C-alpha cells in the first residue's frame, strides 16, 4: 500500500475534526478561558478565585432563570426556592458523605439538581397552570411559604443558623480533597460549563423551541397542536433542576446553607443579573451574573452606598439599554469589520470624558448626602477621589453640582456625533452585506 492510499482516509477525518472545531469554537474557547482564568495575574489569589467561583454559581443560577424569563416569558419572583432547596438537598448529601457515605464530593451538585427538579415538578404542576401576572404572583406566594418553612422546620433546615458540612471530609478522588480554593474553582467551573452546554442544547430541542412559541403567541402554539401549559411545566422543571444544581455548588463553595438561600433577596439578585446581562441572548445572564457579583464585591469595598449605585446602574440599563449588556455588545457585531467602526470608537472616546466628569459630580453629591443622612457620627470630613472634602461647607456641593451639570451638557452635545458615526458604520456594513462595497 503506497503513501497516498494511507493518507487518503486521514483527509476526511481531519476535515471532520476541523468542522467540529469550527462548529463548537465558542465552547472550546470558553473551556480554555475557564482553565486559564485562575492563573491570570490579578486573578491568581484565593480571594480572586473565590470571586470567580461565586460568578460561576451565579451564572448557572441566572441561566436557569432565563429558561423561564427570556425563553418562555415566565417572570418568577421566587426562583431562589429551587436554588435554596437544591442547596439544602446538597448539604444533607454532604453530611451523609461526612458520616461515611462513599460518594465523591464532585457528585454533590447532582443531589442539588435532583432536589431542584423534584421541587420544580411539585410546584410547577401548580404554578404553570397560569401565565403572566398570575404566574408571577403565585411564585411570590410559594417563595414566602418556603422561606417561612425554613424556620418552622429546624430539623430539616437548621433554623436561623442553617446547616453546615465539610467538603474536605469525603473520599479522595485523584488526590483532591477540595481544601484549596483552586480545586473548588475547577469543580464549579466544570459544572458551570456542563450546565451551560446542557441548557444551550435544551433550547435547541423541539420542546426548547416551543418555549419561544409559547412566549410569543401561546394561542397560535395551542392551535397547531401544542399544549402551552405542558411546555411551561417542562421548562419550569428543567429550570428548577439547574437552579438546584447551582444551589449544590453554593453548598460546596460555602459549606453552609441557610434561610437566605431561599429568600426574596436572592430571587431579586438573580432577576437583576438576568436583566443587566440581557434576557434576549443566551450569554446575557452569564454577563449579568459576572457583572453583578463584581459590582457587589468591588463597590462594597469603596462605599457604604453601593446598593444605591447598583440600583441606579440597573435603572440605566432598563431605560437606555433594554437589551442588556449582551444586547449592547451584539448590536456592534455587524459594524466591527467596517472602516467606519474606528470612527465610532473615536466618538465614544470623546463622549466618555464628559460622562466621567458627570459621574464624578453625581458620586460626590451622593457620598456627601449619604454620609450626612446615615452616618452623622463619622463627621462631615471625608476623602473622595483622593481629595479631602468637608460636607459642612457649601463649596464641595457647588463644585459637585457644576461638574454634574457641565458634564451632562457636554455629554449631551456629543450625542449627534456618535449617532452620525454610527449611521456611517451601519451604512458601510449594509453595503458590504449587499455586495456593492460602497455605502449608499
Amino acid at each position: 500500500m503506497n503513501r497516498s492510499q494511507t493518507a487518503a482516509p486521514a483527509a476526511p477525518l481531519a476535515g471532520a475534526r476541523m468542522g467540529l472545531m469550527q462548529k463548537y469554537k465558542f465552547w472550546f474557547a470558553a473551556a480554555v478561558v475557564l482553565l486559564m482564568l485562575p492563573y491570570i495575574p490579578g486573578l491568581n489569589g484565593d480571594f480572586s478565585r473565590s470571586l470567580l467561583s461565586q460568578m460561576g454559581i451565579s451564572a448557572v443560577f441566572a441561566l436557569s432563570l432565563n429558561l423561564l424569563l427570556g425563553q418562555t416569558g415566565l417572570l418568577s419572583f421566587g426562583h431562589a426556592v429551587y436554588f435554596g432547596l437544591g442547596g439544602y438537598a446538597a448539604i444533607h448529601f454532604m453530611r451523609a458523605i461526612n458520616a461515611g457515605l462513599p460518594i465523591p464530593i464532585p457528585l454533590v451538585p447532582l443531589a442539588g439538581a435532583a432536589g431542584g427538579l423534584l421541587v420544580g415538578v411539585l410546584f410547577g404542576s401548580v404554578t404553570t397552570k397560569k401565565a403572566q401576572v398570575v404566574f408571577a404572583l403565585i411564585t411570590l406566594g410559594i417563595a414566602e411559604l418556603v422561606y417561612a418553612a425554613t424556620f418552622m422546620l429546624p430539623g430539616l433546615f437548621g433554623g436561623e443558623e442553617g446547616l453546615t458540612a465539610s467538603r474536605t471530609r469525603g473520599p479522595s478522588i485523584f488526590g483532591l480533597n477540595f481544601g484549596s480554593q483552586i480545586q473548588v474553582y475547577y469543580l464549579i467551573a466544570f459544572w458551570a460549563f456542563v450546565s451551560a452546554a446542557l441548557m444551550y442544547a435544551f433550547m435547541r430541542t423541539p420542546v426548547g423551541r416551543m418555549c419561544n412559541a409559547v412566549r410569543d403567541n401561546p394561542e397560535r402554539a395551542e392551535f397547531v397542536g401544542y399544549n402551552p401549559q405542558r411546555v411551561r411545566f417542562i421548562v419550569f422543571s428543567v429550570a428548577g433542576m439547574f437552579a438546584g444544581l447551582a444551589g449544590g455548588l453554593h453548598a460546596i463553595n460555602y459549606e453552609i446553607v441557610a434561610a437566605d438561600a431561599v429568600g426574596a433577596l436572592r430571587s431579586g439578585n438573580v432577576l437583576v443579573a438576568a436583566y443587566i446581562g440581557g434576557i434576549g441572548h443566551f450569554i446575557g445572564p452569564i454577563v449579568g451574573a459576572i457583572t453583578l457579583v463584581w459590582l457587589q464585591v468591588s463597590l462594597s469595598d469603596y462605599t457604604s452606598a453601593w446598593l444605591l449605585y447598583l440600583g441606579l446602574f440597573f435603572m440605566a440599563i432598563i431605560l437606555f439599554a433594554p437589551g442588556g449588556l449582551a444586547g449592547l455588545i451584539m448590536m456592534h457585531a455587524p459594524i466591527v469589520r467596517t472602516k467606519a467602526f474606528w470612527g465610532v470608537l473615536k466618538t465614544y472616546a470623546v463622549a466618555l470624558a464628559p460622562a466621567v466628569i458627570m459621574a464624578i459630580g453625581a458620586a460626590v453629591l451622593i457620598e456627601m448626602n449619604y454620609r450626612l443622612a446615615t452616618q452623622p457620627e463619622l463627621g462631615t470630613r471625608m476623602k473622595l477621589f483622593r481629595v479631602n472634602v468637608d460636607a459642612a461647607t457649601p463649596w464641595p456641593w457647588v463644585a459637585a453640582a457644576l461638574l454634574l451639570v457641565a458634564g451632562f451638557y457636554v455629554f449631551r452635545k456629543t450625542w449627534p456625533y456618535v449617532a452620525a458615526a454610527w449611521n456611517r458604520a451601519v451604512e458601510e456594513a449594509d453595503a458590504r452585506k449587499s455586495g456593492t462595497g460602497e455605502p449608499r
Side-chain angles (χ1 to χ4, degrees):
M1 183 179 294
N2 58 37
R3 184 177 300 177
S4 62
Q5 289 175 318
T6 58
L13 183 60
R17 289 176 179 173
M18 288 299 295
L20 188 66
M21 289 288 291
Q22 183 66 22
K23 183 177 181 180
Y24 297 107
K25 59 183 178 181
F26 294 109
W27 292 102
F28 285 119
V32 171
V33 169
L34 289 175
L35 288 172
M36 296 176 59
L37 266 180
Y39 293 102
I40 294 175
L43 298 177
N44 54 359
D46 283 344
F47 174 79
S48 298
R49 289 166 178 170
S50 176
L51 184 62
L52 292 173
S53 299
Q54 294 176 51
M55 290 177 177
I57 296 169
S58 297
V60 176
F61 190 25
L63 280 172
S64 70
L65 175 67
N66 199 49
L67 291 179
L68 295 176
L69 181 59
Q71 302 297 333
T72 320
L74 297 174
L75 175 59
S76 174
F77 287 130
H79 201 56
V81 166
Y82 315 98
F83 176 93
L85 294 182
Y88 276 113
I91 206 75
H92 278 293
F93 195 56
M94 286 176 65
R95 289 162 72 93
I97 292 174
N98 294 164
L101 183 67
I103 302 294
I105 291 296
L107 298 182
V108 166
L110 294 178
L117 176 61
L118 178 63
V119 179
V121 170
L122 177 63
F123 291 145
S125 61
V126 177
T127 58
T128 57
K129 291 182 179 180
K130 301 293 182 179
Q132 299 178 349
V133 176
V134 177
F135 171 87
L137 294 177
I138 293 174
T139 61
L140 180 60
I142 289 176
E144 293 301 317
L145 183 152
V146 172
Y147 182 72
T150 59
F151 298 101
M152 296 169 61
L153 303 171
L156 186 60
F157 298 108
E160 294 183 359
E161 296 181 357
L163 296 174
T164 61
S166 174
R167 61 177 181 244
T168 61
R169 292 170 52 197
S172 177
I173 177 171
F174 303 118
L176 304 176
N177 65 356
F178 300 99
S180 65
Q181 190 60 48
I182 185 66
Q183 293 180 13
V184 176
Y185 163 78
Y186 277 121
L187 174 60
I188 292 174
F190 169 78
W191 281 112
F193 182 85
V194 170
S195 299
L198 290 177
M199 281 186 269
Y200 185 82
F202 172 75
M203 292 314 303
R204 272 141 187 80
T205 63
V207 175
R209 296 189 183 279
M210 282 308 302
C211 291
N212 298 153
V214 169
R215 175 196 64 196
D216 298 334
N217 197 330
E219 292 81 7
R220 188 169 184 178
E222 188 173 10
F223 180 77
V224 297
Y226 290 91
N227 186 336
Q229 189 274 331
R230 185 174 300 171
V231 173
R232 291 195 296 265
F233 172 72
I234 292 173
V235 73
F236 190 94
S237 302
V238 172
M241 180 181 70
F242 284 107
L245 191 144
L249 295 176
H250 171 89
I252 292 175
N253 190 52
Y254 293 102
E255 299 179 291
I256 184 172
V257 178
D260 68 295
V262 298
L265 180 59
R266 195 170 298 273
S267 292
N269 278 342
V270 73
L271 269 173
V272 170
Y275 273 109
I276 285 176
I279 61 174
H281 305 275
F282 179 81
I283 199 174
I286 300 175
V287 175
I290 293 172
T291 303
L292 182 62
V293 171
W294 180 77
L295 287 175
Q296 288 175 330
V297 173
S298 60
L299 285 177
S300 61
D301 286 341
Y302 291 101
T303 174
S304 301
W306 65 273
L307 274 174
L308 176 60
Y309 291 107
L310 185 59
L312 291 173
F313 177 67
F314 177 66
M315 290 173 58
I317 290 292
I318 295 299
L319 291 173
F320 303 110
L325 297 177
L328 289 176
I329 296 171
M330 296 303 295
M331 68 185 291
H332 288 80
I335 67 171
V336 167
R337 297 183 179 180
T338 63
K339 294 180 180 179
F341 179 65
W342 295 104
V344 175
L345 293 180
K346 290 177 182 178
T347 58
Y348 283 172
V350 171
L352 180 62
V356 169
I357 293 173
M358 176 180 66
I360 290 174
V364 171
L365 289 174
I366 290 172
E367 291 298 321
M368 291 192 299
N369 186 67
Y370 194 85
R371 170 66 70 86
L372 296 178
T374 65
Q375 300 171 319
E377 69 279 3
L378 297 180
T380 59
R381 294 182 179 274
M382 64 192 80
K383 195 168 187 177
L384 299 174
F385 302 102
R386 300 184 179 182
V387 176
N388 293 320
V389 172
D390 187 355
T393 62
W395 304 113
W397 298 89
V398 173
L402 287 175
L403 287 175
L404 175 62
V405 173
F408 177 77
Y409 177 78
V410 178
F411 180 56
R412 180 66 180 83
K413 290 293 185 180
T414 64
W415 292 1
Y417 300 99
V418 174
W422 177 268
N423 290 333
R424 285 194 296 271
V426 170
E427 290 178 359
E428 184 177 338
D430 290 342
R432 289 176 58 135
K433 187 176 181 180
S434 64
T436 62
E438 297 181 0
R440 290 173 293 182

